Amino acid sequence: MATSSTPPPLPLMRIMSGNAFLLSILYLLVGIGVEAARRLRPSSFVMRLSLSLDSLPARALELVGLMEPLREAYFAGRITEAVLRLVFSTTTIGIIFLLAVGVGLLMGSLRGFLLRQAARRSSSR
């Protein structure tokens, strides 16, 4: 009975989605903590931290052309701060998932390439 020397394939999508889920939960918990601190004990540090957390989704929304309409709706009173926070959180979670998929695909491709190289070297001996 011949045994295969290649390792079994990794459940890449399961690993990527698990990592993205954990990072999303961590982001949301930090965001909730910062928002609570901003409302209960505002300080310059907490305000800077809040702006830092908001900069990633704001820039992503700016890139796709949605930040200006969102800004106008907020200042006109058509949406509340809670809705704005929800949009920012959803945007950040989307970014985290896209990054996890991108990094996972890159690492999976690299792993496949290295396995093919190793198989070629062992078959040429």
Side-chain angles (χ1 to χ4, degrees):
M1 177 179 251
T3 59
S4 175
S5 64
T6 60
L10 291 173
L12 193 57
M13 284 306 288
R14 188 175 55 183
I15 292 170
M16 288 186 308
S17 60
N19 287 344
F21 179 74
L22 288 174
L23 284 171
S24 298
I25 294 296
L26 180 63
Y27 168 79
L28 289 175
L29 289 175
V30 168
I32 289 169
V34 169
E35 187 65 20
R38 188 178 74 85
R39 290 179 185 270
L40 298 174
R41 298 278 237 190
S43 68
S44 62
F45 172 76
V46 172
M47 294 305 287
R48 282 193 311 265
L49 190 57
S50 178
L51 288 173
S52 296
L53 286 174
D54 289 345
S55 68
L56 176 66
R59 288 184 185 180
L61 290 168
E62 190 76 46
L63 280 174
V64 296
L66 295 175
M67 190 60 196
E68 192 57 38
L70 193 62
R71 185 180 293 124
E72 288 173 11
Y74 177 71
F75 286 126
R78 292 190 305 267
I79 62 171
T80 64
E81 186 177 353
V83 171
L84 186 65
R85 292 280 174 209
L86 183 63
V87 169
F88 274 30
S89 297
T90 304
T91 302
T92 304
I93 289 170
I95 292 168
I96 289 170
F97 271 90
L98 287 175
L99 286 173
V101 168
V103 169
L105 290 174
L106 178 70
M107 298 314 275
S109 299
L110 181 61
R111 180 178 185 264
F113 173 76
L114 292 175
L115 287 174
R116 284 191 300 279
Q117 292 292 350
R120 275 193 209 132
R121 275 190 238 122
S122 66
S123 67
S124 66
R125 288 183 185 177

